[in-house]
Amino acid sequence: MKSNPQKVFQQYLESKGLKLTRQRTQILELLLEAQTHVTPEQIYRALGAKDASLGRATVFRTLHLLEEAGFVSKIHFPDGTSGYEHKFSRPHHDHMICVDCRDVIEFSNATIERLQERLSREFEFTPLWHRHEIFGRCKKCSLQKTAL
Amino acid sequence: MKSNPQKVFQQYLESKGLKLTRQRTQILELLLEAQTHVTPEQIYRALGAKDASLGRATVFRTLHLLEEAGFVSKIHFPDGTSGYEHKFSRPHHDHMICVDCRDVIEFSNATIERLQERLSREFEFTPLWHRHEIFGRCKKCSLQKTAL
DNA sequence: ATCGTTGCAAACGGTTTGCAATTCG
DNA sequence: CGAATTGCAAACCGTTTGCAACGAT
């Protein structure tokens, strides 16, 4: 992706005849600062707290917008809820998710990516994106578990 | 997994002090017959139709039970809803999901599986299960799309 | 001024829970 | 018989939507 995220976002909006509002700027800013995954509710609380009003609906609407624009990606937690992370200058990666503490470890593996491409071709499937999530326990939690 | 699913289920229930009821039998039966993924709602409708009453709640409760027992696995559709498939004598596999027609293609690749194990070890992560879903368009739908 | 955007609150859809009636073992 | 299970309807919770007020260009 390009250098200045806010700039890129603005250009994107412009090209679609959409407007850059305070809320949109703030939400993207928060996403950029938080280097981990953030839930819609966290965004709502964080921004509603510091600054003036921000509706939950706006959070979801903006997140959709950003996702569609390809600026953020969504991850699904085991309980069905979701989190978002920005994609500016972050290479593609997948996740290991701790079922106990919800901690997320990022990983990426070129061989796996390549195999996916090949498999898709085999099935004459046109891949758009994928989700590769390994659920289990992080080091800390698995130690805690065996200690019991 | 073992030979007779219903038997295995019964044994599982017994070992936990639980009971084998008409509803539980029917739901497992339906899952075994349907070789694809089935949604809770589909189960509710199919069984509520042919036989007498069956509550939605029971469907969910039974599905949880079966999942916890390791007899079925859940898959998440792009829209957030879920489907279930039984695991009796079906080898592990992952999914390619068509974003247009929701069709599901199953795939499995030993190399990918092995790499996952290795990566987990690297991060001192104890894997329990994983979800590897490739979203895109199946042959049919991608042809339709380019035809426009 | 003009459209897009916002906040609110009500609607939604899938999933869950409390409870009295029922069923399995 | 007694504990587990069921169906029902209400509760839930994350997400979406309709709408009148608001704000960016």
Side-chain angles (χ1 to χ4, degrees), chain A residues 75-122:
Chain A
I75 108 169
H76 293 254
F77 290 112
D79 63 6
T81 56
S82 49
Y84 292 81
E85 66 177 355
H86 77 90
K87 295 203 286 196
F88 285 93
S89 70
R90 313 193 72 205
H92 166 76
H93 56 261
D94 291 294
H95 303 111
M96 297 184 192
I97 301 172
C98 178
V99 297
D100 285 343
C101 69
R102 272 178 159 230
D103 197 33
V104 177
I105 298 171
E106 299 177 354
F107 72 88
S108 71
N109 182 287
T111 310
I112 292 180
E113 300 291 324
R114 243 185 312 106
L115 286 168
Q116 285 183 118
E117 296 287 326
R118 186 193 300 174
L119 283 163
S120 299
R121 233 174 293 127
E122 254 171 52

Side-chain angles (χ1 to χ4, degrees), chain A residues 38-49:
Chain A
V38 183
T39 65
E41 190 62 19
Q42 289 175 325
I43 295 175
Y44 171 71
R45 300 221 174 137
L47 295 182

